[in-house]
Amino acid sequence: QSALTQPPSASGSPGQSVTFSCTGTSSDVGGYNYVSWYQHHPGKAPKLIIYEVNKRPSGVPDRFSGSRSGNTASLTVSGLQAEDEADYYCSSYAGNNNPYVFGTGTKVTVL
Amino acid sequence: QVQLVQSGAEVKKPGSSVKVSCKASGDTFSRNTISWVRQAPGQGLEWMGRIISILDITNYAQKFQGRVTITANKSTSTAYMELSSLRSEDTAVYYCVRDAMTTIVDWGQGTLVTVSS
């Protein structure tokens, strides 16, 4: 199973929006409604911010939103804040034998 | 939500084994499934296997079959991941995660395992 493809970096100024993608195949991203996104500040535990393509766990600001078109999922961070600077990983369910495939990660920089 | 606290960093020799622990709190441990995910330096995240505590069932990624063993002690709410026949390519940060079977919900803080002679 190949990793999901993410751009290595994305950036924006405070208050702006940034969107980046996560491309897989019909066997993962396009085949199941189980795409998740995680925010990872180095040295801390990653945090779930989007699940089932576009749902937010309790406590996650609505500045974070997810979507999907075909085999490509996207994460949008609106109203960028300094604390949004982190690594972001997507993940998709990919079936029982090897249930999770992960993205390569996108480093978001707040300029 | 479940808090997952992992054991500390390890340095191991090639050919040896490592056992990493993951203590869960905040929810009923026996109802949860715990998976292990690793990230080697400069590499992506990789699912290794899981234990479905309530059923005492494990399944492992084919890549790690025969080398990884995941166990759980319900009385102490602690899961363990043991990886044997270590090689330099196993140098990575190992995470325990709470697995909702289609989504990874919570992550431990990670344990760095360094394999070096």
Side-chain angles (χ1 to χ4, degrees), chain B residues 21-107:
Chain B
S21 69
C22 169
K23 185 169 177 59
S25 61
D27 198 351
T28 303
F29 180 78
S30 61
R31 287 206 302 259
N32 287 297
T33 293
I34 298 292
S35 275
W36 289 85
V37 174
R38 78 175 188 180
Q39 185 171 33
Q43 304 295 312
L45 294 158
E46 187 172 32
W47 182 82
M48 300 178 68
R50 62 162 55 130
I51 183 163
I52 306 170
S53 299
I54 197 168
L55 300 174
D56 275 329
I57 288 174
T58 53
N59 61 287
Y60 302 117
Q62 189 171 9
K63 174 177 179 175
F64 299 101
Q65 284 275 4
R67 276 213 305 146
V68 68
T69 304
I70 296 173
T71 56
N73 183 328
K74 294 188 191 69
S75 65
T76 61
S77 298
T78 304
Y80 300 89
M81 185 283 300
E82 184 169 21
L83 187 64
S84 62
S85 303
L86 289 170
R87 34 207 188 234
S88 58
E89 309 90 88
D90 294 316
T91 294
V93 176
Y94 290 77
Y95 294 96
C96 67
V97 300
R98 184 165 71 100
D99 181 351
M101 302 305 284
T102 55
T103 300
I104 290 171
V105 182
D106 297 300
W107 296 67

Side-chain angles (χ1 to χ4, degrees), chain A residues 5 17 20 34 39 54 76-77 93 96 101 110:
Chain A
T5 302
S17 294
F20 45 92
Y34 296 118
Q39 180 189 63
N54 56 15
T76 297
V77 186
Y93 179 73
N96 281 333
V101 60
V110 180

